[in-house]
Structures are given as structure tokens and as C-alpha cells.
Amino acid sequence: MAKFVRVLAAVIHRDGRWLVCRRPAHKRHGGLWEFPGGKLEPGESLLDAATRELDEELGVRVTGIGEPMFSRRDDGSDFVVAFVPVEIAGGPQALEQD
């Protein structure tokens, strides 16, 4: 039985705009656009993962999180990505993206 890695995709919609980031060229799917987020650590909740990842990647504070909208397996990997509505405070900065 395959073990899947849980991944959070933070779906952030503010002022009629969606927040997406471009993956660094050297990473898998490099150069493509994605919702920010990342792998959950063992025992980590979606809220905890969103708080950690969005601070690291964008320097913003998570102020709210909803229920996952849907999940999808990333073909060619062990990742299962949960797309989750997230509310943030602060202006995002590209700290890890291109």
C-alpha cells in the first residue's frame, strides 16, 4: 500500500484577485504557477502548515482557514494536494519563489 504525502495549497482570494506564485526553475514543476503552501509535517494540522509555510514563503500571517475545497493526487509523485481557502494579513513578498 502506497503512503501518500499530504500537501497544502493555500487558496487566497482578496480584493478580487487570486494569490499564485511561480515555482523556482530548479524544483519539480519549475517555472509553473501554483497556490502557495507545502508539505505537512507529521502530525501537523492544515492550519499549522498554512501558518508555517506562508510565513516562510511570503512573510504573511494566517488569520483564518476553511475546510478543504477538494484534494487531488499529483500524478508522478506521492503527493496528495488539499486546496484550502486561507485568509492572510500583510502584503506578500516572494521569499522563496521566482
Side-chain angles (χ1 to χ4, degrees):
M1 182 176 204
K3 182 176 179 183
F4 294 107
V5 177
R6 294 175 58 210
V7 177
L8 164 86
V11 180
I12 301 167
H13 185 247
R14 186 165 68 176
D15 301 325
R17 299 168 69 185
W18 301 93
L19 178 62
V20 293
C21 305
R22 188 177 351 215
R23 290 185 61 80
H26 69 278
K27 290 191 173 185
R28 185 170 188 268
H29 301 305
L32 298 179
W33 293 92
E34 68 176 355
F35 290 108
K39 294 182 234 82
L40 277 73
E41 295 177 355
E44 191 173 40
S45 70
L46 289 169
L47 174 60
D48 291 340
T51 300
R52 177 181 52 78
E53 288 285 352
L54 296 180
D55 178 55
E56 291 172 4
E57 292 184 11
L58 301 172
V60 295
R61 182 174 54 87
V62 171
T63 60
I65 187 169
E67 292 297 317
M69 300 160 68
F70 67 95
S71 295
R72 182 181 191 291
R73 181 152 184 242
D74 179 28
D75 295 335
S77 77
D78 293 336
F79 300 146
V80 175
V81 183
F83 292 81
V84 180
V86 175
E87 296 177 14
I88 61 169
Q93 306 166 41
L95 301 175
E96 292 188 2
Q97 293 78 14
D98 285 345

